Structure formats: C-alpha cells, structure tokens
Amino acid sequence: MHKQLFNIKKSDARKFIIIALLAVVLIAAFVFIGLTPKNYSYALSRRLPKIYTMIMVGGMIGFSSLIFQTVTNNHILTPSVLGLDSLYMLLNTALVFFLGSTNQWIVNANSNFIITLVVMLGASVVFYQVIFKKRSQNIFFILLVGIVVGTLFESFTTFLQVLTDPTEFLTVQDKSQASFNNINTNVLWLSTIIVILTTGYSMRYFKVLDVMALGRDHAINLGVAYDKTVKKLLVVVVILTAVATALVGPITFLGLLVVNIARYFIESYKHSHLSLAIWLLSIVALVGGQLLVERVLNFGISVSIIINFIGGIYFIYLLMKGRTEG
C-alpha cells in the first residue's frame, strides 16, 4: 500500500501538493477566521467537529463512489442509485408522520443516528440476500432493482409528505438536505471506528480494483474472482454511504463531482492515487462550500444545495459529452 501511494509521477505529485495546500488553506481559514480571545473557546468547540466531520464524510462519499464506479464500470453512476438516499428520506418522513416531530427518535440526535444506520444497513442486507439467493449476480440487475426500489421509496415519501402537518413538514425538509451546522459529536467516535475498519479492509483490494477497471471479462481473464469481489465491495459501498448519510444527510452529487475531477486531474489509474486525490478534493469542495455558506451567503442555503447544483450541471455535461463522443 505504501509503495503504491508514494510511487507517483512528478506531474501528479505537483498536483497533489497543490490540492493539499489548497485544502490546508481552506481548513485554516474555516477554523481561524473571526477568532478572538473572547470567543475562541466556543468557536473552536463548534468548528473543529465540523471540520473533522467534513473531512471524514468527504472521504467516505468519495471513496465509496470510486469503488462503485469501478465495479459498475460506469463513470456517471453513484451509490445513490442503490436507493439508500431514498430510504433515508422515507424513514425520517415516516417517523415524523407516525410519531410526530417531537418524538425522541427525531429530536434525540443519537437515537436518530442509530435507528437510521440500523434500518439502512438492515434493509441493504435483506436486499442483497434476496438478490444473491436467486443467484442473480449481474451487477446491472442489482442496479435496476435499486433504481426501482429507490423510486418506490420516493413515491411513498412524497405520499406521506403530502399528508404531513405543515408545521411538522419543516422537520422533514431539514432532513432532506445535508448539513454540517449541528454535528452530533456523540456519534463521531462510532462513525470513525466504522470508517477505519471498513476503509482498512477495502485498501487491500486497491490492486484488484485497478484490474477490475479494465472490465469484467479482462478482470476474470487476469484471475480476479469477479463476482465474489463485487459482493464484498458492494458491502463496503453500502456501509460507507449509510454512515455518511445517517451522519449529515444525503449529498447526491459530491461523489460524482470529486471522482470525475480526480480522474481528469491526475494521470494515474491506480486506485491508491485516485483515493488520495478524491479525499483531498472532497475536503476542498466541502470546506470551501461551507465557508461560502457561512461567510458570504450568511447561512442562506446549505452546502449540499451548492454541491448538488454544481454536480448536477457537471452530470449533464458528462451525459452530453458521452452523446457527442458516441
């Protein structure tokens, strides 16, 4: 792993240094702007958890999107097509609708995180058990089922939202957008442990992912146990996506944006190099976006709206580019 990471071309090394310096500058600006001897204690207690969460969530979303795009051999897909974002919204909408916005499962951040994470992971386990039990190991069949299930969840969510009391609908609306303003520091340690274990496990597949990027047939010819590896990597994708979504909410286009920019920005095909670039770009995107929200827009919108807006435009560009090249 270390040999792969430090065996970087000089041109790519310069780019890594530039991105890393930009990330450090943005982090420093976010932490230190506006600090005074009177407010530094309170300000740091609010800002440091935000920074830590943005660094961790950005890494989770970017890394899971990279793995997912490699497994599906498609650069415009993200784990959101599996329906996890839709399940997150359906769960929180149902909790508000049936139990009320003042129920502890909504108000208590710890309880909300735990039940959201358990339901999302549990539903994913059932989903994959049913599909793989029928020996339908085609990744595109899984994607098709995920899209259909996600659309079904969205329909149920819309139905419940129409019937929800307008005053309680605001609670549901807040859940629909990722936010770093009120980070639940009590669950950061649990999220950190899950991320470290999951990422550490998946790092050993970096070389395998390099081969899988060539396509299913080439990977099998080169000795990769393709279907078994896909199963294991999809579990990694689901866990990272579920933790990130349960922690801050859905950020649909962040993964698409940073993964494709990283592929364009650096010349290396190695997933060890791409992962590092994606992590740094995620920090730049989230910290830069949050700075814009707080210092320029005065909390007028959330950072997820900015990222989804830019990501949506970039997604359309990728589609149009694909049609032109086709």
Side-chain angles (χ1 to χ4, degrees), residues 99-113:
L99 302 178
S101 59
T102 58
N103 188 271
Q104 66 167 347
W105 294 113
I106 293 292
V107 176
N108 190 301
N110 296 337
S111 301
N112 186 258
F113 175 82

Side-chain angles (χ1 to χ4, degrees), residues 213-233:
L214 299 173
R216 185 178 188 275
D217 294 336
H218 290 297
I220 292 174
N221 290 334
L222 291 171
V224 175
Y226 194 86
D227 292 330
K228 291 183 180 179
T229 305
V230 166
K231 286 183 182 180
K232 295 176 182 178
L233 293 176

